[in-house]
Amino acid sequence: MRQKGKIKAWDDNKGCGFIQPLIDGKDIFFHISGFPSRRRRPEVGQLVTYNLGQDARGRVRAEQIAFSADQIRASVQAGNKGSHFSIWIASLFLVFMLLSVTFSHLPVEIAFLYLGLSVATYVLYWMDKQQAKNGGRRTPESTLHLCALLGGWPGAVFAQQTLRHKSKKESFRNAFWVTCIVNCAAFGWLITEQGQQLLRLLGL
Protein backbone atom coordinates (compact mmCIF):
# COMPACT_ATOMS: atom_id res chain seq x y z
CA MET A 1 0.00 0.00 0.00
CA ARG A 2 1.36 3.42 -0.98
CA GLN A 3 2.34 5.70 1.89
CA LYS A 4 2.33 9.47 1.86
CA GLY A 5 4.80 11.74 3.61
CA LYS A 6 6.87 14.89 3.55
CA ILE A 7 10.62 15.12 3.05
CA LYS A 8 11.95 16.13 6.45
CA ALA A 9 15.68 16.07 5.77
CA TRP A 10 17.78 15.89 2.62
CA ASP A 11 21.54 15.91 1.99
CA ASP A 12 22.06 16.66 -1.69
CA ASN A 13 25.77 15.80 -1.56
CA LYS A 14 25.20 12.34 -0.04
CA GLY A 15 21.98 11.74 -1.97
CA CYS A 16 19.92 10.60 1.01
CA GLY A 17 17.48 11.88 3.59
CA PHE A 18 14.37 11.13 5.68
CA ILE A 19 10.65 11.20 4.99
CA GLN A 20 8.19 12.08 7.73
CA PRO A 21 4.97 10.07 7.31
CA LEU A 22 1.81 12.17 7.23
CA ILE A 23 0.28 9.61 9.56
CA ASP A 24 2.11 9.16 12.86
CA GLY A 25 5.19 7.03 12.59
CA LYS A 26 8.98 7.05 12.62
CA ASP A 27 10.88 8.94 9.96
CA ILE A 28 11.73 6.75 6.97
CA PHE A 29 15.19 6.72 5.42
CA PHE A 30 15.44 7.11 1.64
CA HIS A 31 18.15 7.27 -1.00
CA ILE A 32 18.05 9.07 -4.33
CA SER A 33 18.03 5.65 -6.00
CA GLY A 34 14.55 5.20 -4.53
CA PHE A 35 13.22 7.62 -7.15
CA PRO A 36 12.58 5.73 -10.41
CA SER A 37 12.54 9.10 -12.18
CA ARG A 38 15.38 11.48 -11.32
CA ARG A 39 14.40 14.47 -13.41
CA ARG A 40 13.88 16.46 -10.19
CA ARG A 41 15.99 16.59 -7.06
CA PRO A 42 14.31 16.11 -3.66
CA GLU A 43 13.96 19.11 -1.37
CA VAL A 44 12.88 19.56 2.23
CA GLY A 45 9.14 20.10 2.53
CA GLN A 46 8.13 18.28 -0.66
CA LEU A 47 5.23 15.86 -0.49
CA VAL A 48 5.90 12.35 -1.78
CA THR A 49 4.32 8.93 -2.00
CA TYR A 50 6.34 5.76 -1.50
CA ASN A 51 6.36 2.06 -0.74
CA LEU A 52 8.10 0.55 2.27
CA GLY A 53 11.01 -1.77 1.59
CA GLN A 54 14.23 -3.01 3.16
CA ASP A 55 17.90 -2.61 2.39
CA ALA A 56 20.47 -5.44 2.37
CA ARG A 57 20.68 -5.31 6.19
CA GLY A 58 16.95 -5.54 6.66
CA ARG A 59 16.50 -1.91 7.62
CA VAL A 60 13.30 -0.16 6.58
CA ARG A 61 13.57 2.39 3.80
CA ALA A 62 11.34 4.12 1.25
CA GLU A 63 11.25 2.78 -2.30
CA GLN A 64 9.44 3.62 -5.54
CA ILE A 65 9.23 7.23 -4.38
CA ALA A 66 7.24 9.74 -6.43
CA PHE A 67 6.42 13.38 -5.94
CA SER A 68 2.83 14.06 -4.98
CA ALA A 69 0.64 15.34 -7.82
CA ASP A 70 -0.36 18.31 -5.67
CA GLN A 71 3.28 19.13 -5.02
CA ILE A 72 4.12 18.92 -8.70
CA ARG A 73 1.32 21.27 -9.69
CA ALA A 74 2.29 23.80 -7.01
CA SER A 75 5.96 23.61 -7.98
CA VAL A 76 5.22 24.11 -11.66
CA GLN A 77 3.01 27.13 -11.00
CA ALA A 78 5.50 28.73 -8.63
CA GLY A 79 8.42 27.87 -10.89
CA ASN A 80 6.81 29.46 -13.95
CA LYS A 81 6.20 32.73 -12.10
CA GLY A 82 9.68 32.81 -10.59
CA SER A 83 11.45 31.87 -13.82
CA HIS A 84 9.79 34.63 -15.82
CA PHE A 85 10.71 37.24 -13.22
CA SER A 86 14.32 36.05 -12.88
CA ILE A 87 14.91 35.94 -16.63
CA TRP A 88 13.44 39.41 -17.06
CA ILE A 89 15.74 40.78 -14.36
CA ALA A 90 18.84 39.17 -15.92
CA SER A 91 17.88 40.28 -19.44
CA LEU A 92 17.24 43.88 -18.37
CA PHE A 93 20.56 43.99 -16.56
CA LEU A 94 22.47 42.73 -19.62
CA VAL A 95 20.78 45.35 -21.80
CA PHE A 96 21.57 48.08 -19.25
CA MET A 97 25.17 46.88 -19.01
CA LEU A 98 25.64 46.97 -22.79
CA LEU A 99 24.07 50.43 -23.01
CA SER A 100 26.34 51.62 -20.20
CA VAL A 101 29.40 50.34 -22.02
CA THR A 102 28.23 52.09 -25.20
CA PHE A 103 27.20 55.45 -23.77
CA SER A 104 28.84 55.80 -20.34
CA HIS A 105 32.44 55.31 -21.44
CA LEU A 106 32.83 52.04 -19.59
CA PRO A 107 35.59 49.89 -21.12
CA VAL A 108 34.41 47.17 -23.49
CA GLU A 109 36.30 44.69 -21.33
CA ILE A 110 33.45 45.00 -18.81
CA ALA A 111 30.99 43.63 -21.36
CA PHE A 112 33.32 40.77 -22.26
CA LEU A 113 33.78 40.02 -18.56
CA TYR A 114 30.04 39.73 -17.88
CA LEU A 115 29.28 37.76 -21.02
CA GLY A 116 32.25 35.44 -20.58
CA LEU A 117 31.53 34.76 -16.91
CA SER A 118 27.85 34.21 -17.68
CA VAL A 119 28.69 31.55 -20.27
CA ALA A 120 31.22 29.91 -17.95
CA THR A 121 28.75 29.92 -15.05
CA TYR A 122 26.04 28.38 -17.23
CA VAL A 123 28.46 25.58 -18.16
CA LEU A 124 29.31 25.01 -14.47
CA TYR A 125 25.61 24.62 -13.65
CA TRP A 126 25.18 22.17 -16.53
CA MET A 127 28.17 20.12 -15.38
CA ASP A 128 26.92 20.12 -11.78
CA LYS A 129 23.51 18.87 -12.87
CA GLN A 130 25.09 16.04 -14.85
CA GLN A 131 27.16 15.07 -11.82
CA ALA A 132 24.05 15.15 -9.63
CA LYS A 133 22.27 12.77 -12.01
CA ASN A 134 25.23 10.39 -12.19
CA GLY A 135 26.22 10.55 -8.53
CA GLY A 136 29.57 12.17 -9.33
CA ARG A 137 31.56 14.88 -7.61
CA ARG A 138 29.51 18.07 -7.32
CA THR A 139 30.59 21.65 -7.89
CA PRO A 140 30.74 23.39 -4.47
CA GLU A 141 27.95 25.91 -3.97
CA SER A 142 30.59 28.43 -2.88
CA THR A 143 32.13 28.20 -6.37
CA LEU A 144 28.78 28.87 -8.03
CA HIS A 145 28.19 31.84 -5.73
CA LEU A 146 31.68 33.23 -6.41
CA CYS A 147 31.09 33.09 -10.17
CA ALA A 148 27.78 34.90 -9.70
CA LEU A 149 29.38 37.53 -7.49
CA LEU A 150 32.13 38.27 -10.02
CA GLY A 151 29.58 38.88 -12.79
CA GLY A 152 28.31 35.52 -13.99
CA TRP A 153 24.94 35.81 -12.27
CA PRO A 154 22.93 36.45 -15.49
CA GLY A 155 24.22 33.14 -16.84
CA ALA A 156 23.36 31.50 -13.52
CA VAL A 157 19.78 32.78 -13.79
CA PHE A 158 19.37 31.31 -17.26
CA ALA A 159 20.93 28.03 -16.10
CA GLN A 160 18.66 27.77 -13.06
CA GLN A 161 15.53 28.27 -15.14
CA THR A 162 16.37 26.43 -18.37
CA LEU A 163 18.19 23.51 -16.74
CA ARG A 164 15.86 23.49 -13.69
CA HIS A 165 18.91 23.23 -11.44
CA LYS A 166 19.46 25.01 -8.10
CA SER A 167 16.19 26.82 -8.68
CA LYS A 168 14.25 25.57 -5.64
CA LYS A 169 16.67 25.23 -2.72
CA GLU A 170 15.75 28.19 -0.54
CA SER A 171 19.07 28.64 1.26
CA PHE A 172 20.97 28.58 -2.04
CA ARG A 173 18.54 30.98 -3.70
CA ASN A 174 18.77 33.47 -0.81
CA ALA A 175 22.57 33.50 -0.94
CA PHE A 176 22.49 33.68 -4.73
CA TRP A 177 20.33 36.81 -4.81
CA VAL A 178 22.62 38.46 -2.27
CA THR A 179 25.53 37.96 -4.69
CA CYS A 180 23.40 39.46 -7.48
CA ILE A 181 22.58 42.56 -5.43
CA VAL A 182 26.22 43.05 -4.42
CA ASN A 183 27.39 42.70 -8.02
CA CYS A 184 24.74 45.11 -9.32
CA ALA A 185 25.73 47.63 -6.66
CA ALA A 186 29.39 47.29 -7.67
CA PHE A 187 28.48 47.79 -11.32
CA GLY A 188 26.43 50.87 -10.47
CA TRP A 189 29.42 52.28 -8.60
CA LEU A 190 31.64 51.81 -11.67
CA ILE A 191 29.41 54.23 -13.56
CA THR A 192 30.06 56.97 -11.00
CA GLU A 193 32.97 59.39 -11.25
CA GLN A 194 34.85 57.53 -8.50
CA GLY A 195 34.38 54.26 -10.35
CA GLN A 196 35.58 55.80 -13.60
CA GLN A 197 38.70 57.07 -11.84
CA LEU A 198 39.45 53.57 -10.52
CA LEU A 199 39.08 52.09 -13.99
CA ARG A 200 41.47 54.69 -15.39
CA LEU A 201 43.99 53.86 -12.66
CA LEU A 202 43.71 50.20 -13.68
CA GLY A 203 44.35 51.16 -17.27
CA LEU A 204 40.89 50.25 -18.52
Side-chain angles (χ1 to χ4, degrees), residues 106-135:
L106 285 178
V108 69
E109 287 85 357
I110 296 294
F112 286 123
L113 175 66
Y114 271 98
L115 295 176
L117 280 172
S118 290
V119 171
T121 303
Y122 189 100
V123 172
L124 279 178
Y125 271 76
W126 179 83
M127 293 174 60
D128 186 54
K129 182 169 184 177
Q130 299 308 307
Q131 292 292 78
K133 288 182 177 179
N134 300 323

Side-chain angles (χ1 to χ4, degrees), residues 25-187:
K26 294 182 178 180
D27 294 343
I28 308 298
F29 174 83
F30 75 95
H31 188 267
I32 188 62
S33 61
F35 285 85
S37 174
R38 303 187 195 178
R39 289 178 294 180
R40 298 176 60 204
R41 300 293 289 183
E43 294 178 17
V44 173
Q46 289 175 325
L47 297 175
V48 293
T49 60
Y50 58 94
N51 291 331
L52 292 177
Q54 294 182 339
D55 62 14
R57 298 183 181 181
R59 296 174 296 188
V60 177
R61 69 177 182 181
E63 298 178 344
Q64 296 296 312
I65 311 169
F67 294 105
S68 167
D70 294 337
Q71 182 74 51
I72 293 174
R73 282 193 294 268
S75 297
V76 170
Q77 292 173 354
N80 288 338
K81 293 179 181 179
S83 64
H84 293 160
F85 177 76
S86 299
I87 289 176
W88 268 108
I89 291 294
S91 299
L92 288 173
F93 174 82
L94 289 175
V95 171
F96 177 74
M97 181 270 295
L98 292 173
L99 290 175
S100 298
V101 170
T102 303
F103 298 107
S104 298
H105 306 294
L106 285 178
V108 69
E109 287 85 357
I110 296 294
F112 286 123
L113 175 66
Y114 271 98
L115 295 176
L117 280 172
S118 290
V119 171
T121 303
Y122 189 100
V123 172
L124 279 178
Y125 271 76
W126 179 83
M127 293 174 60
D128 186 54
K129 182 169 184 177
Q130 299 308 307
Q131 292 292 78
K133 288 182 177 179
N134 300 323
R137 186 173 182 178
R138 305 289 303 280
T139 301
E141 291 185 351
S142 58
T143 299
L144 298 178
H145 287 320
L146 178 61
C147 289
L149 179 64
L150 294 177
W153 69 266
V157 167
F158 284 99
Q160 289 170 14
Q161 304 308 328
T162 60
L163 302 176
R164 309 309 302 171
H165 186 56
K166 294 292 187 181
S167 60
K168 300 295 182 183
K169 186 177 179 182
E170 186 174 355
S171 60
F172 180 88
R173 295 281 293 170
N174 291 339
F176 170 73
W177 283 111
V178 169
T179 66
C180 295
I181 293 171
V182 172
N183 180 266
C184 288
F187 179 81

